[in-house]
Amino acid sequence: MGLLDSIEGLAGGAGGQAGQQGGVAQALIQTATQHPGGLEGILNGFRQNGMDQHVNSWVNPGENQSITPDQVQQGMGSSMLGEVAQRAGVSPQVAQMALATVLPMVVSHFSRNGQVAPQSELGSLASSFFGNHG
């Protein structure tokens, strides 16, 4: 099962909310490819805000610990959240809610052996995952 299939399954099927969540996930990856430090740099914001346990659960095999929309705001900050929302074509509030669901999945999907994919590989990995979905 691919990443977008997982997102759609959580959202209850194709279209609507699943489409928004898929768009937000894609926007997150696009933002991460341009963020200093890539996805790991984004995760450092969560670590600095006391969410080490959450991040560790996402990058290591096992159960992904959930987060709330408020924790998304706290970990990412308004500027980055706004950038993801703009790329996805949704409001920051919609992006915040979608990221509470998709961020743990995206991080887990792009992590191997406790390490997040390097920024240099993130774009091509994302293109292959998102580009093949139809």
Side-chain angles (χ1 to χ4, degrees), residues 36-106:
L39 190 54
E40 187 65 41
I42 292 171
L43 295 178
N44 285 338
F46 285 87
R47 289 183 180 109
Q48 291 169 0
N49 283 289
M51 291 179 258
D52 286 343
Q53 195 172 23
H54 292 79
V55 172
N56 290 339
S57 78
W58 305 336
V59 298
N60 293 303
E63 190 169 323
N64 288 340
Q65 195 171 5
S66 64
I67 59 171
T68 66
D70 287 341
Q71 288 172 315
V72 169
Q73 169 72 36
Q74 182 182 348
M76 291 186 81
S78 297
S79 176
M80 187 174 304
L81 186 58
E83 185 176 340
V84 171
Q86 183 178 9
R87 287 178 189 267
V90 298
S91 72
Q93 294 78 16
V94 168
Q96 190 175 337
M97 291 180 62
L99 284 167
T101 300
V102 302
L103 181 64
M105 294 169 56
V106 167

Side-chain angles (χ1 to χ4, degrees), residues 2 14 17 20 28 63 72 74 81 102 108 111 116 122 125-126 132-133:
Q17 185 180 4
Q20 283 183 337
L28 172 66
E63 190 169 323
V72 169
Q74 182 182 348
L81 186 58
V102 302
S108 178
S111 299
V116 177
L122 201 55
L125 286 171
N132 292 334
H133 185 77

Side-chain angles (χ1 to χ4, degrees), residues 7-31:
I7 292 168
E8 287 177 359
L10 280 176
Q17 185 180 4
Q20 283 183 337
Q21 288 183 334
V24 169
Q26 201 165 4
L28 172 66
I29 297 303
Q30 290 170 345
T31 301

